[in-house]
């Protein structure tokens, strides 16, 4: 006899909508991936979400599906599952996504911010299983985050908590997309990291990064920086170590504020490996108060690309 329960997790991004049938033990049994069609506006995107859910429901093989969880960019109002001003979905001001999906499928629907959903995934099924309290950081195009407190996501009064990318590490520093100065995202977000590397490389023409992009500095991506670092390129390592150090300053501030000891790092750039993790750890230890110093740890996330679907499913499991 199986006591497993089944739900659908939907990971809504600027480029793709991914839905998966997920069981309560954290396994993904089927997946449907569609383009999100974000340039055609909210209606088209919602249709794609519905199509992807229908695709899963057509293939459940007799299993009963108990609910639908959706991870979406932007700030989410829980009541009605309203998605507010997601940065990479054009024309979305306030869309009652949860209600829309509920009307079509008549089952429990929960919507949550995508970084919060990824934090929930790590807490339930990934690197956070043994830690009741941790800060989750997702480091990619931007720097997002989520706070897991006593095993549960801390959303704040209006769902906007955990925005670690917008902690300023320099009060008069670089201008960030959000309108403030010196946010850590403005230093280590994918685009910024690449342009920073391009600047530094003008003085280091022998760096392996330049070979990897065939001499075209506009083609620099974090992947190349980390490949060069793995091959022993000192300039590449220095760039990653500096980025990790910056992130550690922001994480240290959160640790001190929350009395937390654990941070879990996911997202594309976190795959850059050991140099980055060592740098983050050292920087965190250098910026937290003495009682936290010895126990402070920085752990790589476990779930990678699956975190979106699993975290969304975790909302209704
Ligand atoms: Zn900012």
């Amino acid at each position: 006899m199986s006591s497993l329960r089944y739900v659908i997790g939907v990971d809504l991004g600027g480029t793709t909508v991914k839905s998966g049938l997920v069981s309560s033990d954290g396994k993904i049994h089927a997946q449907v991936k569609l383009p999100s069609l974000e340039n055609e506006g909210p209606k088209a995107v919602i249709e794609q979400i519905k199509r992807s859910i229908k695709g899963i429901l057509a293939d459940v093989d007799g299993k009963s599906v108990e609910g639908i969880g959706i991870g979406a960019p932007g700030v989410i109002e829980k009541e009605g599952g309203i998605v507010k001003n997601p940065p990479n979905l054009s024309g979305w001001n306030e869309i009652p996504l949860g209600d829309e999906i509920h009307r079509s499928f008549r089952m429990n629907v929960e919507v949550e911010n995508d970084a919060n959903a990824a934090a929930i995934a790590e807490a339930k099924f990934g690197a956070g299983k043994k830690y009741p309290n941790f800060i989750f950081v997702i480091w990619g195009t931007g720097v997002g985050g989520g706070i897991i407190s006593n095993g549960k996501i801390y959303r704040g009064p209006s769902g906007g908590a955990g925005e670690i990318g917008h902690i300023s590490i320099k009060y008069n520093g670089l201008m960030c997309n959000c309108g403030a100065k010196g946010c850590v995202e403005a230093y280590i977000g994918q685009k910024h990291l690449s342009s920073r590397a391009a600047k530094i490389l003008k003085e280091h023409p022998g760096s392996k990064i330049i070979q990897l992009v065939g001499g075209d500095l506009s083609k620099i991506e974090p992947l190349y920086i980390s490949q060069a670092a793995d091959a022993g390129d000192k300039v590449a390592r220095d760039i990653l170590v500096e980025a990790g150090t910056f992130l550690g300053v922001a994480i240290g501030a959160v640790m001190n504020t929350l009395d937390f000891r654990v941070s879990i790092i996911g997202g594309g750039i976190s795959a850059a490996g050991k140099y980055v993790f060592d740098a983050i750890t050292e920087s965190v230890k250098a910026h937290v108060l003495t009682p936290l110093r010895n126990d402070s740890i920085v752990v790589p996330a476990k779930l990678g690309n699956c975190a979106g679907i699993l975290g969304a499913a975790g909302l209704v499991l």
Side-chain angles (χ1 to χ4, degrees):
M1 191 193 86
S2 156
S3 56
L4 287 179
R5 296 161 52 228
Y6 293 87
V7 300
I8 292 176
V10 182
D11 179 11
L12 169 61
T15 343
T16 54
V17 179
K18 287 183 282 184
S19 288
L21 180 68
V22 179
S23 50
S24 47
D25 58 353
K27 290 207 173 80
I28 300 177
H29 299 265
Q31 267 196 68
V32 173
K33 188 173 159 184
L34 297 173
S36 53
L37 304 182
E38 75 87 25
N39 53 348
E40 294 178 26
K43 255 199 163 145
V45 176
I46 291 168
E47 278 313 307
Q48 290 298 84
I49 295 171
K50 289 179 184 172
R51 273 183 61 199
S52 73
I53 294 170
K54 281 178 194 155
I56 297 289
L57 287 172
D59 197 19
V60 292
D61 196 18
K63 298 176 188 88
S64 126
V65 175
E66 292 181 18
I68 300 169
I70 304 174
V75 174
I76 312 295
E77 191 176 308
K78 274 306 219 185
E79 190 66 36
I82 300 170
V83 180
K84 296 178 176 177
N85 305 100
N88 47 3
L89 294 172
S90 46
W92 288 56
N93 298 323
E94 291 201 7
I95 304 283
L97 180 63
D99 281 354
E100 282 275 346
I101 300 300
H102 174 72
R103 215 168 297 139
S104 296
F105 297 97
R106 295 285 157 200
M107 56 177 96
N108 179 25
V109 178
E110 294 284 340
V111 187
E112 182 53 277
N113 168 269
D114 49 6
N116 280 353
I120 291 168
E122 292 295 336
K124 276 188 186 274
F125 308 116
K129 269 205 300 205
K130 55 183 170 185
Y131 305 113
N133 302 295
F134 65 87
I135 159 113
F136 175 73
V137 179
I138 185 152
W139 181 8
T141 313
V143 179
I147 298 161
I148 297 289
S149 173
N150 282 326
K152 292 212 162 73
I153 192 80
Y154 174 78
R155 313 185 73 252
S158 60
E163 288 290 352
I164 188 172
H166 300 284
I167 290 178
S168 181
I169 57 169
K170 206 170 186 185
Y171 76 92
N172 59 353
L174 296 176
M175 188 57 100
C176 177
N177 277 340
C178 74
K181 282 182 183 170
C183 296
V184 68
E185 178 170 307
Y187 288 86
I188 68 167
Q190 195 162 331
K191 216 173 65 211
H192 306 283
L193 192 61
S194 298
S195 67
R196 198 170 161 68
K199 221 180 261 172
I200 292 169
L201 286 172
K202 289 200 173 123
E203 278 153 39
H204 295 89
S207 165
K208 191 156 179 62
I209 303 172
I210 298 181
Q211 285 172 33
L212 288 170
V213 296
D216 183 352
L217 295 188
S218 71
K219 287 199 180 137
I220 295 174
E221 280 181 33
L223 174 71
Y224 297 126
I225 306 175
S226 89
Q227 280 178 0
D230 285 338
D233 187 88
K234 183 167 181 317
V235 179
R237 286 189 185 186
D238 288 350
I239 291 168
L240 292 177
V241 165
E242 185 188 54
T245 304
F246 288 160
L247 182 56
V249 175
I251 292 174
V254 180
M255 302 282 216
N256 280 337
T257 308
L258 298 177
D259 185 31
F260 278 15
R261 269 80 170 162
V262 181
S263 61
I264 296 179
I265 320 282
I269 302 181
S270 67
K274 192 173 178 314
Y275 328 101
V276 178
F277 276 86
D278 286 352
I280 301 170
T281 308
E282 229 172 89
S283 176
V284 167
K285 286 183 185 288
H287 289 94
V288 292
L289 294 166
T290 314
L292 279 67
R293 192 158 300 149
N294 287 337
D295 318 333
S296 287
I297 54 167
V298 179
V299 183
K302 243 188 199 164
L303 303 171
N305 288 336
C306 299
I309 288 176
L310 289 173
L315 301 170
V316 285
L317 270 173

